[in-house]
Amino acid sequence: MDQNSKTATLHTEGADIVYDCEGQGPLLLLIVGGNGDSRRYIPLSARLAGSYTVVRYDRRASTRSSGDTGIDMDMAQQSRDAAALIRALGLGPAYVFGNSGGASIAIKLTEDHPELVRALVAHEPPVMRILHDAQQQMAMIDEVFSAFQQHGAQVAMRKFAQTLVGFDKGDMAPGDQGGNMEYFMAHEYLPIGRYLPNLDKIRRDGVPVVTCAGSASVDAYYARTARVMANLLACPYVEMAGNHLAFVIAPDLFAAELLPILQRLREADTLLA
């Protein structure tokens, strides 16, 4: 594939998944989190395309991709969609990067389809059920969802934003990027928040994993999960600059930190080959 970006559509399990592809080199799949679409990755993708064939996509029932918007998100279905995309591209197993809920989906992909994942980089995955205070965290997401049921998506998103750490007034705050806020609160927020990965299986399967969190995220639940997950998997943990959306706010710096992580994974893969 050449350096020019192209857009294509994959039909799988009753949905058309729209994706964008640019660059050349090993396949790198970027998975976006909740309440956002693949546009969040445009700046980062452009900075990685010199070394990778970078693919970003709108997840099922989101923005350009079709799917049933009246049902709750299924993490296994999200995993199968990502797997179908990797297979369709025909470039072999992929390096996979995910942020937030996208990191959780990337973890599920690694759990369900290890043969398709060359290595995983999970940035601040909100897998709260692995934390020692999981019960408190589950109560928190129930409160946010209750606010949505009683007062609507705008109120719930404001309550959700209060749980985020390290955002300045000038930062791009998490928000309704592609008209997805209502769908996110109604059908994605709880499935993402309640997902419990099978880390024992991931460890047994041996897919290389690196977890990351931003220094500005400090002890936010989604930063703590990255550290706890690294401990449970006995895998590297990397502290990066910035907050939960550092890849959007400061893509140059984020890419400069992510590329060496990916390069080390490539070098390790070469040694094992």
Side-chain angles (χ1 to χ4, degrees), residues 161-179:
Q162 292 171 3
T163 70
L164 304 179
V165 176
F167 283 85
D168 297 325
K169 289 184 178 179
D171 286 348
M172 177 186 289
D176 184 17
Q177 185 175 13

Side-chain angles (χ1 to χ4, degrees), residues 5-264:
S5 176
K6 72 171 187 178
T7 300
T9 300
L10 170 69
H11 184 78
T12 180
E13 296 189 51
D16 290 322
I17 307 299
V18 180
Y19 65 93
D20 303 287
C21 181
E22 63 182 324
Q24 57 185 358
L27 177 60
L28 172 59
L29 183 67
L30 307 181
I31 305 181
V32 72
N35 195 41
D37 56 52
S38 62
R39 287 175 293 175
R40 282 188 175 172
Y41 282 136
I42 290 175
L44 180 62
S45 177
R47 288 158 175 80
L48 301 175
S51 302
Y52 296 89
T53 300
V54 186
V55 174
R56 54 189 176 84
Y57 67 103
D58 291 338
R59 294 190 288 100
R60 176 179 295 259
S62 171
T63 315
R64 299 172 299 171
S65 293
S66 66
D68 190 341
T69 58
I71 61 174
D72 287 349
M73 188 185 80
D74 182 325
M75 294 293 285
Q77 177 69 73
Q78 294 287 329
S79 166
R80 293 197 301 274
D81 288 346
L85 187 52
I86 293 171
R87 291 191 184 101
L89 289 163
L91 297 176
Y95 293 95
V96 181
F97 172 85
N99 158 263
S100 191
S104 296
I105 294 167
I107 294 166
K108 182 63 172 170
L109 169 66
T110 305
E111 176 185 330
D112 291 351
H113 306 280
E115 76 283 0
L116 297 177
V117 181
R118 196 176 298 276
L120 164 66
V121 180
H123 182 258
E124 301 191 347
V127 284
M128 293 172 277
R129 290 178 64 189
I130 70 173
L131 298 176
H132 69 86
D133 59 345
Q135 186 173 357
Q136 178 181 337
Q137 300 303 325
M138 292 301 99
M140 179 270 291
I141 67 170
D142 287 344
E143 288 176 9
V144 172
F145 189 70
S146 178
F148 165 69
Q149 291 178 309
Q150 296 177 36
H151 306 291
Q154 291 282 355
V155 171
M157 284 302 298
R158 286 197 294 270
K159 190 173 184 65
F160 169 62
Q162 292 171 3
T163 70
L164 304 179
V165 176
F167 283 85
D168 297 325
K169 289 184 178 179
D171 286 348
M172 177 186 289
D176 184 17
Q177 185 175 13
N180 294 325
M181 181 168 60
E182 188 79 23
Y183 176 74
F184 167 64
M185 288 307 314
H187 298 297
E188 292 195 333
Y189 180 66
L190 289 183
I192 290 173
R194 291 173 174 170
Y195 166 57
L196 177 63
N198 187 341
L199 297 181
D200 286 339
K201 182 179 185 301
I202 292 174
R203 186 174 60 249
R204 290 195 306 270
D205 288 336
V207 175
V209 177
V210 176
T211 70
C212 310
S215 58
S217 297
V218 197
D219 286 326
Y221 61 86
Y222 46 80
R224 290 191 290 125
T225 54
R227 295 190 286 269
V228 171
M229 182 173 160
N231 183 59
L232 293 173
L233 289 177
C235 74
Y237 164 77
V238 178
E239 183 177 282
M240 303 177 74
N243 58 30
H244 199 54
L245 289 180
F247 65 98
V248 178
I249 297 165
D252 284 326
L253 176 57
F254 197 90
E257 293 184 327
L258 179 59
L259 281 167
I261 295 171
L262 292 168
Q263 182 59 34
R264 288 193 292 272

